[in-house]
Amino acid sequence: MIGSACGKVILLGEHAVVYGAPALVVGIHRGATAEASSIASGAGDVLASELVLGNTIRVCAGDDLDVARAFAALLEACDVASSVRVEVTTDLPAAAGLGCSAALGVAIVRALDGWRGIPARSPGDAARRAMAWESVFHGNPSGIDAAAAARGGCLLYQRTETGVTLREIRLAGPLSLAIGHTGIASSTRAMVEHVAKLRARKPELVDRSFEGIRALVSNARLALEANDMVGLGRLMDLNQMILSGLMLSTEEIETLCRLAREAGALGAKLTGSGGGGCVVALANDPEPILRSWEKAGFRSFSSSVLPVSADKAERSEAP
Ligand code: PMV
């Protein structure tokens, strides 16, 4: 039984989204798949369930490791009562701000549903259950990664005290993105904690920054709906300035942004938690940006926005 989910890029609004501001996120063409199958050994013991990721990860749900604990939490959220083997694959770099863990979590949920013979549930339901896995890795994530992983498309995501608001933004035209990797792993948990500490020391600076980001996101939504790519690019640049002010940028991120702009990007910024990870650049033509990044030694790829597709978002099927 195979389940899949997509990776994501936050166009604008990361970090502020943790504090209740809206953020814009898009699903990308890279993602994760999971395949669930029965195992004979220890059939009655759910903690004997295995999770395998190529040659990198091979754990049992009962092991004393974060990834095993996350897997066990997911099995519980999916009401799995007997042992299962889940093999996952992904073409997303880990710890890079592209939602790799959320894509894996949602893909596993879908594979487990398929294995248990449960008809495909809503993307919201898959995302909600994937949060059991996400919380082990990231502490108290906003949920934006899981929402995007389960749906694709372009979403305005907001988590408030009363719950989550999700609006699908209908793009007036294609959105072409170049994504460059600093080559440096970044911990979402550490970067979110960094912002929390900064806010404790300098509440006015951080809250003013979040207000600025909130205004940028609201304008970016209008720009997207009007297909104003030049406007959207400027707003991304401004978002990057604010994120730098919160000390989330690095030399590599600044270099990637500069090279992208020099190669014709309409805007460029870090995406995800910062402190490493990836940069996203908006471009009419991503090719010169990718060439410039590769020449400077950065790995990169392009993606348009993954359309919202019932096929992709809901798939949980027999191979
Ligand atoms: O680094 P990522 O892909 O997990 O994205 C993190 C986005 C944050 O806003 C920094 C955290 C969150 O939980 O929303």
Side-chain angles (χ1 to χ4, degrees), residues 141-168:
S142 67
I144 190 170
D145 290 16
R151 287 177 179 81
C154 179
L155 304 170
L156 185 72
Y157 179 94
Q158 186 169 19
R159 180 181 68 169
T160 61
E161 273 158 26
T162 51
V164 164
T165 316
L166 260 184
R167 277 203 187 83
E168 190 193 327

Side-chain angles (χ1 to χ4, degrees), residues 173-205:
L175 202 60
S176 165
L177 305 170
I179 296 155
H181 194 339
T182 59
I184 294 162
S186 153
S187 155
T188 304
R189 185 194 284 266
M191 298 318 288
V192 168
E193 275 171 18
H194 155 80
V195 172
K197 279 186 195 146
L198 188 64
R199 190 163 181 257
R201 274 195 292 123
K202 300 184 176 178
E204 271 171 34
L205 167 83

Side-chain angles (χ1 to χ4, degrees), residues 233-264:
R234 287 205 186 114
L235 294 163
M236 288 169 68
D237 284 343
L238 290 169
N239 195 165
Q240 171 61 20
M241 278 174 59
I242 297 181
L243 292 167
S244 300
L246 294 173
M247 288 174 285
L248 294 161
S249 194
T250 65
E251 215 178 300
E252 294 80 7
I253 289 170
E254 294 301 324
T255 302
L256 281 162
C257 288
R258 180 178 53 77
L259 290 173
R261 291 182 194 119
E262 285 169 6

Side-chain angles (χ1 to χ4, degrees), residues 28-273:
I28 58 173
H29 284 89
R30 290 194 177 196
T33 60
E35 183 167 6
S37 54
S38 302
I39 43 175
S41 59
D45 179 8
V46 68
L47 290 180
S49 296
E50 291 172 3
L51 179 68
V52 181
L53 172 61
N55 295 326
T56 330
I57 293 172
R58 179 175 289 267
V59 293
C60 282
D63 289 351
D64 186 18
L65 286 166
D66 266 0
V67 65
R69 275 186 279 277
F71 182 43
L74 215 41
L75 293 169
E76 195 184 334
C78 294
D79 295 323
V80 174
S82 56
S83 57
V84 57
R85 182 173 199 272
V86 181
E87 212 165 329
V88 291
T89 57
T90 179
D91 54 0
L92 292 164
L98 300 180
C100 179
S101 68
L104 287 170
V106 171
I108 295 171
V109 166
R110 288 181 168 149
L112 291 173
D113 282 354
W115 175 70
R116 293 179 64 223
I118 291 174
R121 299 202 201 155
S122 69
D125 183 82
R128 185 187 53 72
R129 284 181 286 151
M131 289 301 282
W133 156 278
E134 281 286 89
S135 300
V136 174
F137 296 120
H138 302 313
N140 179 23
S142 67
I144 190 170
D145 290 16
R151 287 177 179 81
C154 179
L155 304 170
L156 185 72
Y157 179 94
Q158 186 169 19
R159 180 181 68 169
T160 61
E161 273 158 26
T162 51
V164 164
T165 316
L166 260 184
R167 277 203 187 83
E168 190 193 327
I169 305 295
R170 299 217 172 269
L171 300 178
L175 202 60
S176 165
L177 305 170
I179 296 155
H181 194 339
T182 59
I184 294 162
S186 153
S187 155
T188 304
R189 185 194 284 266
M191 298 318 288
V192 168
E193 275 171 18
H194 155 80
V195 172
K197 279 186 195 146
L198 188 64
R199 190 163 181 257
R201 274 195 292 123
K202 300 184 176 178
E204 271 171 34
L205 167 83
V206 176
D207 288 345
R208 234 184 305 118
S209 301
F210 287 165
E211 277 316 304
I213 291 174
R214 193 184 273 273
L216 295 179
V217 168
S218 154
N219 284 312
R221 176 192 177 172
L222 299 176
L224 276 167
E225 288 171 343
N227 202 25
D228 175 7
M229 292 299 124
V230 172
L232 179 63
R234 287 205 186 114
L235 294 163
M236 288 169 68
D237 284 343
L238 290 169
N239 195 165
Q240 171 61 20
M241 278 174 59
I242 297 181
L243 292 167
S244 300
L246 294 173
M247 288 174 285
L248 294 161
S249 194
T250 65
E251 215 178 300
E252 294 80 7
I253 289 170
E254 294 301 324
T255 302
L256 281 162
C257 288
R258 180 178 53 77
L259 290 173
R261 291 182 194 119
E262 285 169 6
L266 302 169
K269 60 179 276 294
L270 69 83
T271 185
S273 55

